[in-house]
Amino acid sequence: MSPLLLPAPVSISSWYDTLMQLLTALLALLGLTAATPVPRQSGLLGVLDWALKKKLTFNGDGEFKVVSFSDMHFGERYGDGTWASWGPEQDTNTTIVHSIVLDQEQPDYVVFNGDLVTGENVFAFNATGYLDQMYGPTVQRGIPFSSTHGNHDNANNITHLEEIEYEVAHYGELSYTRADVGPRPYGCGNYWVPVFASEEDWAPAVVMWFFDSRAFTSGSGDGPGPVPDAANYYWIDEKTVPQYIEGQSALMKAIWGSLPPSLVFVHIPFEKSDDLWSLPTMGDHDDDPDPASQGFLNNTYTGLDVPSFQAILNLSDGKNKVLAVTSGHDHGDSWCARSFNSSGLALCFDGHSGYGGYVTPHSEVRNGRVFNLKLSDLTASDGPKVETWNSYENRTTNDYVVLGPDFMKEYL
Ligand SMILES: *[C@@H]1O[C@H](CO)[C@@H](O)[C@H](O)[C@H]1NC(C)=O
Ligand SMILES: *[C@@H]1O[C@H](CO)[C@@H](O)[C@H](O)[C@H]1NC(C)=O
Ligand SMILES: *[C@@H]1O[C@H](CO)[C@@H](O)[C@H](O)[C@H]1NC(C)=O
Ligand SMILES: *[C@@H]1O[C@H](CO)[C@@H](O)[C@H](O)[C@H]1NC(C)=O
Ligand SMILES: *[C@@H]1O[C@H](CO)[C@@H](O)[C@H](O)[C@H]1NC(C)=O
Ligand SMILES: *[C@@H]1O[C@H](CO)[C@@H](O)[C@H](O)[C@H]1NC(C)=O
Ligand SMILES: *[C@@H]1O[C@H](CO)[C@@H](O)[C@H](O)[C@H]1NC(C)=O
């Protein structure tokens, strides 16, 4: 498509804000303003989006495969701000990794799980050009996708909101990314996406939740700059997101009768992952997540990631469980684990799919993490389960496990 034909960037929640303004004006007319503030989550958010987008459905074999890529780190250059050929070469390599994994796995959905760019290295005038490169292999194959955003996606010359608005404006046909709630511009990439068993279904078979763990990487290659106060938080916003999860899931229960099983994606891992790190699980264990995990401020654990963790635990409805919470951030981690320490919730890492960013001994061969959802597994009588494995640029797969009632049950 010619760039001239692309829609102009719009504020992605403008329709909602307009509706709320009208409602608020109406309430004001009735003299009800002070007594009845209109809650932002007064409907199932995103419903208008789905009316305009292709409904995501399982295929004829009852399968829906998701590949999660983290830590692409596009746009790197030298610390002194000068350019060299290795930055663009890394980026080309990353698109090759994605192409190989996508051809190997043929997924139905791609998640870009944060640190899409190395934001402290990019210029404001062309930062989003790296996103075009990053989405390239997925877009060329016509695969629907969405993104979470990482600490390196908030920097002096780029923010989460700017990346989201660019993605929605330019890739709106394939992108399911939204900004439902959360502080703008640094922490607003919180949303959910339903996947239905078939076109006719009213209630989804699975819901994917995406959260924004904020944080900010200062510096432009010319040395560190100040971190804006509003960005100096390294966890999902505890003031808006737990209420959002609670409100949206209450509506889901009311409308659909129960909460579907779910997958959760967030760039920075929850602090609880540190308690699981040393367990003997498959995948790379090169990075101890603590204190690079959520909830840390000035090297001190605040506990402020706990409200969102609790709200995610509440997404389990009877037998229907949260199948996994998947993070990137720690390039040298690509394991899944659970225990009593995580209240039985499976916490996964999806490794390192980019040639940008730091490399650990076991993460040199780049990978994405695959979730192979099957309707028969989701409706199993003992509770839902999902197969997952890592898929590598050297055209191999590894670390196959089934997340479900039997996964690591001896540790509960
Ligand atoms: C790109 O990939 C090639 C082949 O794997 C590798 O030899 C080269 O070092 C990579 N380039 C960069 C800048 O990482
Ligand atoms: C952004 O501009 C810089 C400096 O002109 C250039 O080196 C770089 O390749 C550009 N990046 C993109 C994605 O266009
Ligand atoms: C990028 O950010 C740096 C501060 O880190 C600033 O000095 C520079 O002007 C910014 N560049 C652009 C093109 O916005
Ligand atoms: C629970 O967490 C503690 C503290 O991090 C850790 O030492 C222990 O190995 C963990 N046990 C399990 C089963 O997760
Ligand atoms: C964190 O440290 C910075 C600089 O040392 C300081 O300005 C800030 O107040 C500290 N924040 C908190 C919440 O302690
Ligand atoms: C989780 O659910 C319980 C029981 O319904 C409720 O009391 C609690 O407030 C919920 N917590 C969050 C963080 O939503
Ligand atoms: C491919 O990479 C994986 C992950 O590093 C490694 O375990 C495996 O041995 C490699 N296989 C081949 C054939 O190179």
Side-chain angles (χ1 to χ4, degrees), residues 77-149:
R77 60 186 162 114
Y78 281 119
D80 64 5
T82 58
W83 292 87
S85 59
W86 57 261
E89 195 180 311
Q90 282 185 165
D91 296 345
T92 302
N93 278 0
T94 303
T95 59
I96 294 171
V97 173
H98 287 197
S99 299
I100 290 171
V101 172
L102 294 177
D103 288 342
Q104 171 156 285
E105 302 295 344
Q106 312 261 324
D108 302 289
Y109 198 84
V110 172
V111 178
F112 297 102
N113 205 12
D115 283 358
L116 318 188
V117 299
T118 293
E120 65 272 32
N121 284 181
V122 303
F123 294 109
F125 81 94
N126 70 357
T128 46
Y130 294 105
L131 297 178
D132 295 329
Q133 294 180 32
M134 196 205 61
Y135 302 130
T138 300
V139 170
Q140 282 151 22
R141 288 164 180 76
I143 307 169
F145 64 91
S146 63
S147 308
T148 73
H149 300 84

